[in-house]
Amino acid sequence: MRYLTFALTKGRLANKTLELLEQVGISCEEMKDKDTRKLIFVNEELKLKFFLAKGPDVPTYVEYGAADIGVVGKDTIMEEGRKNYEVLDLGFGKCRMCVCGPASAKELLNSHEMMRVATKYPIIAKDYFHNEKHRSVDIIKLNGSIELAPIVGLSDVIVDIVETGSTLKENGLEVLEEVCPLSARMIVNRVSMNMEAERINNLIKAVREIL
Ligand code: PRP
């Protein structure tokens, strides 16, 4: 039997994914060692491999078949636009993609004047403003701490992830519009879905039952 390989998103999503997999009888003891510098972990008994990657790289590993299965946020799936099957909403990592800013930006947001939008998600932001709101905007790509942008005058609004809303609140910003809800999803390589149909479908079924 060949190995089925999982690409997991480093951090909180990976921990949640491992918890979920344990519930369906898939565990990887090696991976629980927090001090390890190992990058790939094996469950010999079930012929499974696991590795951790940065979120935006997960759909890439899966598209090229370096991993059969990936677990990653819907935000990353939309932004990366890779050709994979999205097979399950895992129900954790729930948050929302929103347009946020100071309350004073509402008027500009509802106008057709030029507006600057800072975001870590330029594709999602462009799709939202161009295709849904039929409005042109100036998109500025940033890599983190997006809430800073409207505060220091880099942009009028931001498109960013809101979970509890406390980052916004503590910085005098608010949700102005919701773009879409987000959560962790399971994705599968298109060829693996056929070649390993039985094993992958059994896994999907088992996970679906406990969700
Ligand atoms: C994310 C997001 C917001 C924050 C939202 O940032 O970009 O800044 O979390 O969470 P909240 O609504 O619960 O406050 P993250 O901490 O991942 O880091 P980043 O700013 O470097 O992207």
Side-chain angles (χ1 to χ4, degrees):
M1 194 162 42
R2 78 180 263 277
Y3 285 96
L4 265 192
T5 303
F6 287 76
L8 307 182
T9 299
K10 233 184 231 175
R12 246 183 341 144
L13 281 194
N15 294 336
K16 287 269 191 188
T17 307
L18 293 175
E19 277 173 32
L20 184 73
L21 290 175
E22 286 219 337
Q23 287 180 275
V24 298
I26 295 175
S27 66
C28 192
E29 291 307 315
E30 274 191 311
M31 221 166 168
K32 291 181 188 160
D33 176 5
K34 296 279 173 249
D35 299 322
T36 185
R37 302 289 295 167
K38 257 181 121 164
L39 295 171
I40 186 142
F41 307 91
V42 184
N43 179 325
E44 283 298 347
E45 200 191 321
L46 299 173
K47 287 280 180 238
L48 301 172
K49 285 186 186 171
F50 302 87
F51 64 82
L52 297 173
K54 286 262 190 190
D57 296 338
V58 168
T60 311
Y61 282 108
V62 176
E63 186 187 86
Y64 284 91
D68 302 286
I69 296 169
V71 174
V72 65
K74 179 66 178 174
D75 50 318
T76 306
I77 295 173
M78 294 195 297
E79 188 66 24
E80 297 301 314
R82 295 283 177 180
K83 297 188 199 77
N84 295 310
Y85 292 132
E86 187 184 315
V87 297
L88 269 182
D89 181 342
L90 298 174
F92 53 79
K94 275 198 175 154
C95 48
R96 301 181 292 157
M97 186 64 74
C98 297
V99 180
C100 312
S104 61
K106 277 181 199 160
E107 212 176 309
L108 181 62
L109 187 59
N110 291 318
S111 75
H112 276 273
E113 270 169 65
M114 208 48 193
M115 181 175 71
R116 283 184 175 175
V117 181
T119 186
K120 204 155 95 176
Y121 302 91
I123 307 277
I124 294 174
K126 185 167 179 251
D127 181 67
Y128 179 70
F129 284 107
H130 291 199
N131 301 336
E132 281 192 48
K133 303 221 61 191
H134 309 289
R135 178 197 210 293
S136 58
V137 292
D138 198 354
I139 291 168
I140 303 169
K141 155 95 196 212
L142 291 177
N143 294 292
S145 303
I146 316 298
E147 291 83 358
L148 255 181
I151 299 172
V152 299
L154 174 64
S155 71
D156 299 297
V157 296
I158 62 175
V159 167
D160 199 19
I161 291 173
V162 179
E163 193 183 351
T164 61
S166 53
T167 310
L168 291 177
K169 205 167 161 210
E170 285 184 35
N171 291 290
L173 306 173
E174 57 188 71
V175 171
L176 303 174
E177 283 171 9
E178 181 175 320
V179 176
C180 61
L182 304 168
S183 57
R185 308 292 163 97
M186 184 182 285
I187 57 174
V188 176
N189 171 271
R190 298 201 294 182
V191 176
S192 307
M193 196 70 232
N194 289 315
M195 303 295 286
E196 294 291 339
E198 197 185 332
R199 288 170 88 193
I200 294 175
N201 281 322
N202 285 341
L203 171 72
I204 294 171
K205 222 174 111 201
V207 173
R208 197 175 273 146
E209 263 162 30
I210 59 150
L211 286 179

